[in-house]
């Protein structure tokens, strides 16, 4: 018996085999979930199709989360394919490279808008379109966030502000959707080397600092994040909503580096 037997889920955010979303896809599929995966544009289609061969024939759909029409069409497709939806993984973020180095004070209006649109507003847009497919049986929405939305992390800059808005969106959505028994939570992952994190200036230094100063004295693994996402999607987490769970070797509790 798998933890997610009979459940249907959709995963946003697979770019390649290092993606946190890919680790989550493998974990939830292992526990019996039927999946749909999305890809951002033709450039990433082949990657996602290749990875999908390792799963049990997931639906594969294009979705740029800045485009309401594409989000709408994803959920129209899911309505036909699955009928009902039980969980959503939101593992999507983007900011202009120039805004992930130097000083936050230099962030452009357009750079700020883009980071908020892709990395924060998209969660609300996705929930809006998903609601008709989830409201009868309840479900679970899980977003990926980072400590840079709570505390200042040098170079994380505009993405930290977007994560802060994402964290608050999680709480407002948890309140709104609670009446439908839909839970909304986020996982705050420690730094992991991926395509997105490679864009943050000084990321190697961050990894080293995290390893040396976290209580567990090691970096975060995608599989640890994936297992927490699995838990949040399962019935084991039925009493948890509006929560930001840190999966970061405990780094966030520290007030001083040694
Ligand atoms: P990743 O590059 O593998 O994933 C980011 C994904 O966002 C990609 O699949 C990309 O296609 C997608 N994306 C960007 N713009 C999009 C758009 N307009 N429409 C649709 N998709 C779009 O990197 P990752 O590290 O696995 O990132 C996944 C999530 O985890 C992000 O929210 C990220 O902020 C978060 N996170 C990452 C770390 C880390 O250190 N890697 C730590 C904490 C949180």
């Amino acid at each position: 018996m798998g933890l997610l037997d009979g459940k249907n889920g959709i995963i946003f955010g697979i770019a390649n085999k290092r993606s946190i979303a890919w680790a989550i896809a493998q974990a939830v599929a292992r526990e019996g979930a039927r999946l749909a995966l999305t890809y951002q544009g033709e450039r990433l289609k082949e990657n996602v199709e290749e990875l999908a061969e390792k799963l049990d024939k997931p639906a594969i759909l294009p979705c740029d989360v800045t485009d309401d029409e594409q989000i709408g069409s994803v959920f129209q497709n899911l309505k036909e394919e699955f009928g009902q939806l039980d969980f959503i993984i939101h593992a999507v973020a983007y900011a202009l490279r120039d805004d992930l180095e130097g000083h936050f004070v230099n962030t452009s209006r357009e750079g700020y808008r883009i980071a908020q649109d892709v990395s924060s507003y998209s969660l609300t847009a996705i929930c809006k379109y998903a609601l008709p497919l989830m409201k009868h049986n309840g479900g679970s929405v899980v977003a990926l966030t980072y400590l840079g939305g709570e505390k200042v992390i040098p170079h994380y800059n505009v993405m930290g502000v977007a994560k802060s808005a994402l964290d608050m969106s999680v709480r407002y959505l948890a309140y709104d959707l609670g009446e439908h028994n839909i839970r909304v939570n986020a996982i705050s992952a420690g730094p992991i080397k991926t395509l997105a994190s490679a864009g943050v200036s000084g990321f190697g230094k961050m990894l080293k600092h995290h390893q040396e100063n976290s209580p567990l004295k090691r970096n975060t693994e995608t599989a640890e994040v994936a297992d927490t996402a699995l838990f949040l999607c399962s019935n084991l987490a039925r009493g948890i909503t509006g929560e930001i769970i840190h999966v970061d070797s405990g780094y966030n509790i520290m007030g001083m580096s040694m």
Side-chain angles (χ1 to χ4, degrees):
M1 258 286 281
L3 281 172
L4 299 180
D5 278 347
K7 304 259 189 222
N8 301 322
I10 181 161
I11 301 189
F12 293 85
I14 300 178
N16 57 38
K17 65 176 194 300
R18 285 179 176 272
S19 295
I20 295 172
W22 172 238
I24 296 174
Q26 290 172 285
V28 295
R30 186 183 73 222
E31 293 295 328
R34 185 168 158 217
L35 288 180
L37 313 177
T38 68
Y39 60 89
Q40 178 206 3
E42 289 302 304
R43 196 172 46 89
L44 294 174
K45 185 177 180 192
E46 216 173 293
N47 282 2
V48 176
E49 283 177 343
E50 232 175 83
L51 290 169
E53 282 171 19
K54 301 190 175 119
L55 305 177
D56 187 18
K57 299 190 186 67
I60 302 176
L61 303 163
C63 188
D64 186 315
V65 298
T66 61
D67 183 345
D68 280 320
E69 225 171 85
Q70 287 190 39
I71 300 176
S73 128
V74 161
F75 287 100
Q76 187 53 41
N77 258 293
L78 287 190
K79 194 173 165 200
E80 287 154 25
E81 191 117 349
F82 291 171
Q84 157 216 325
L85 187 66
D86 301 291
F87 67 88
I88 299 173
I89 305 294
H90 175 283
V92 170
Y94 178 74
L96 300 179
R97 209 181 173 105
D98 282 355
D99 290 332
L100 297 174
E101 58 189 14
H103 295 293
F104 172 68
V105 71
N106 293 327
T107 307
S108 64
R109 191 177 294 273
E110 183 62 359
Y112 191 99
R113 187 197 65 73
I114 290 171
Q116 287 285 341
D117 190 13
V118 177
S119 320
S120 168
Y121 176 69
S122 60
L123 179 70
T124 302
I126 286 169
C127 286
K128 186 163 71 177
Y129 284 97
L131 187 55
L133 277 81
M134 294 182 97
K135 68 178 179 189
H136 300 299
N137 290 300
S140 173
V141 179
V142 179
L144 267 298
T145 188
Y146 178 57
L147 186 65
E150 300 170 53
K151 307 268 182 196
V152 173
I153 306 281
H155 305 302
Y156 202 61
N157 297 356
V158 73
M159 187 57 88
V161 177
K163 289 300 190 193
S164 196
L166 178 73
D167 293 357
M168 235 18 244
S169 305
V170 163
R171 298 182 184 107
Y172 276 97
L173 289 166
Y175 176 66
D176 271 6
L177 305 184
E179 65 179 291
H180 303 293
N181 198 27
I182 300 171
R183 299 178 293 104
V184 186
N185 294 288
I187 299 172
S188 181
I192 297 171
K193 200 171 170 200
T194 61
L195 197 62
S197 63
V200 181
S201 168
F203 186 74
K205 246 187 182 170
M206 264 166 87
L207 277 177
K208 190 163 179 285
H209 181 80
H210 189 274
Q211 183 182 1
E212 286 169 357
N213 293 290
S214 63
L216 295 181
K217 297 280 178 273
R218 59 181 166 79
N219 274 312
T220 304
E221 290 172 11
T222 45
E224 296 169 343
V225 179
D227 284 345
T228 306
L230 164 64
F231 161 71
L232 286 172
C233 291
S234 80
N235 202 40
L236 295 175
R238 62 195 174 279
I240 303 175
T241 195
E243 204 62 64
I244 312 287
I245 299 184
H246 294 85
V247 180
D248 64 350
S249 306
Y251 180 83
N252 74 95
I253 68 165
M254 300 303 293
M256 185 182 152
S257 60
M258 292 308 289

